[in-house]
Amino acid sequence: MSYFLTFLHSQLFVTPTYPTSDFSNQVLIVTGSNTGLGFEAVKHLLRLNAAKVILAVRTVSKGEAAVQKIVATTKCSPSRLDVWPLDLSKYDSVKQFGARVHTMDRLDGLIQNAGILTSNWETCETHESHITVNVISAALLGLEVLPKLRESAKKTGLRGRLSFVGSDLQYIAKFKEKETNGRIFDALDAKEGADMSDRYNVSKLLLLYYVRILAEMAPLGPESNIIIDNTTPGACKSDIFRDEVGWFKRMVMNVGISMLARTTEVGSRTLVHAIKPDLEPQAHGAFLMDCKIAKYVIKLSH
Ligand SMILES: NC(=O)c1ccc[n+]([C@@H]2O[C@H](COP(=O)([O-])OP(=O)(O)OC[C@H]3O[C@@H](n4cnc5c(N)ncnc54)[C@H](OP(=O)(O)O)[C@@H]3O)[C@@H](O)[C@H]2O)c1
């Protein structure tokens, strides 16, 4: 099935399963959880008995406002929630976050959900912002938390989970930068001629490659009892499309979104699935779509 048919089938005929796995006693982190999919994922995790969920957010006041909303709607104790600063556009912030994670008694799972989609060229840490935020910092964060996940898994006897939120738009990435004779990252850093309509898709494709390589380098076993996976929530009605656009484009987008997109609550079920304690070991290194290992696979040679 071509990507377009896969996408339409997923959006029109599949509703991700309502999560029911038990997260009792578990400590979890969700990045970018002040809004959108991350926010809804936190609510599911609390309903499923997580002992503590840490909202890792770039603006602490937004995280605190999210906590108030969650407490008001779920009636959970505020002590089950924490807000920690994390800005993926700054490597120092990721490293500081990692240092704080090292002080935790326990960490059972992390959803690397924070991400951006924009058609504007911006740079942070010398790279174009999608590359810094969606790829390099996401990768760095994974490396920062993996030792703590491993240590916890040994201590508790429970398998840890590390999930990266990707996108099925990776399937249609044109990725013309890979044709360069030089380094791919240099090609991605060149503002002139950059195809910003493809950049988000490329960033999620690079994230997929990273997840596969990390999973390959950290096979499931007694030393690394951690499932590392990559998941897509499908197209969802969230704040992800933040760019200013003309009224016509906005109208067309709104019609498309209202016809096809999932609510963030429904989309967030896929995020919770990707870190559920009873996730099948075959998910290690896999791309998950509609709460299943995707059949449509991108080949990777390295
Ligand atoms: N919505 C979709 O249709 C869709 C489809 C496929 C994949 N996804 C992926 O799902 C994830 C969540 O997206 P969403 O739809 O929930 O979007 P969203 O509503 O825009 O939420 C994105 C979250 O990421 C945070 N964030 C952005 N830049 C950050 C940075 N530099 N450091 C730390 N946090 C940062 C945002 O914080 P602020 O609120 O402070 O900006 C926000 O909390 C993303 O990785 C996205 O690529 C979404």
Side-chain angles (χ1 to χ4, degrees):
M1 215 171 6
S2 72
Y3 166 70
F4 188 61
L5 289 180
T6 306
F7 169 77
L8 280 184
H9 177 264
S10 167
Q11 295 297 136
L12 293 173
F13 301 112
V14 182
T15 304
T17 322
Y18 192 68
T20 53
S21 299
D22 185 28
F23 287 78
S24 287
N25 304 319
Q26 302 204 12
V27 179
L28 307 148
I29 297 176
V30 186
T31 74
S33 41
N34 54 287
T35 186
L37 294 157
F39 176 79
E40 293 297 333
V42 172
K43 290 202 282 182
H44 277 301
L45 294 171
L46 292 166
R47 175 180 59 76
L48 296 167
N49 305 320
K52 171 86 85 183
V53 185
I54 295 165
L55 285 76
V57 296
R58 67 171 154 179
T59 311
V60 169
S61 57
K62 286 193 197 172
E64 284 165 351
V67 165
Q68 281 186 11
K69 272 199 235 163
I70 292 169
V71 170
T73 51
T74 65
K75 310 287 177 220
C76 79
S77 161
S79 65
R80 292 174 65 202
L81 290 157
D82 257 345
V83 177
W84 289 12
L86 171 68
D87 186 345
L88 297 178
S89 68
K90 298 182 178 117
Y91 300 150
D92 276 349
S93 172
V94 181
K95 288 184 205 158
Q96 279 162 19
F97 187 86
R100 197 166 174 187
V101 166
H102 295 311
T103 68
M104 294 172 78
D105 288 336
R106 172 176 185 163
L107 178 63
D108 297 279
L110 180 140
I111 306 175
Q112 187 348 76
N113 160 73
I116 54 166
L117 190 174
T118 176
S119 48
N120 300 323
W121 178 277
E122 271 177 50
T123 48
C124 34
E125 300 285 8
T126 75
H127 296 291
E128 189 280 319
S129 59
H130 289 88
I131 303 303
T132 307
V133 172
N134 295 357
V135 187
I136 301 174
S137 285
L140 179 59
L141 181 68
L143 296 175
E144 288 285 348
V145 302
L146 195 52
K148 178 54 69 178
L149 286 167
R150 285 174 170 160
E151 180 195 296
S152 292
K154 276 191 184 161
K155 206 156 75 178
T156 62
L158 280 179
R159 177 168 285 156
R161 291 87 60 202
L162 172 59
S163 183
F164 296 84
V165 181
S167 168
D168 37 305
L169 287 173
Q170 65 181 1
Y171 288 133
I172 53 166
K174 295 189 222 90
F175 198 13
K176 68 180 169 87
E177 295 83 359
K178 73 174 182 304
E179 309 303 337
T180 178
N181 291 324
R183 284 160 27 108
I184 288 177
F185 277 96
D186 290 343
L188 289 163
D189 284 346
K191 182 174 179 184
E192 203 170 319
D195 180 357
M196 291 308 286
S197 64
D198 193 43
R199 185 50 64 99
Y200 173 81
N201 309 351
V202 169
S203 73
K204 295 297 187 179
L205 179 63
L206 293 176
L207 182 68
L208 171 91
Y209 289 163
Y210 163 75
V211 172
R212 284 200 195 160
I213 291 168
L214 184 66
E216 208 175 284
M217 293 173 75
L220 265 182
E223 286 313 307
S224 189
N225 192 13
I226 312 299
I227 294 186
I228 300 167
D229 64 39
N230 185 210
T231 192
T232 177
C236 302
K237 298 172 190 136
S238 75
D239 296 336
I240 193 89
F241 307 104
R242 296 178 195 205
D243 283 354
E244 291 288 326
V245 291
W247 69 269
F248 185 71
K249 190 169 176 191
R250 177 60 62 189
M251 189 185 73
V252 172
M253 279 169 65
N254 285 346
V255 171
I257 288 169
S258 65
M259 283 169 64
L260 291 173
R262 295 170 174 161
T263 64
T264 45
E265 184 283 308
V266 171
S268 75
R269 298 175 187 183
T270 63
L271 274 57
V272 176
H273 172 88
I275 61 150
K276 66 178 188 173
D278 48 337
L279 190 60
E280 69 268 38
Q282 291 81 356
H284 186 63
F287 182 65
L288 309 177
M289 185 168 179
D290 298 332
C291 300
K292 289 191 190 110
I293 296 171
K295 290 195 191 118
Y296 198 69
V297 175
I298 293 178
K299 292 209 173 67
L300 166 64
S301 53
H302 63 91

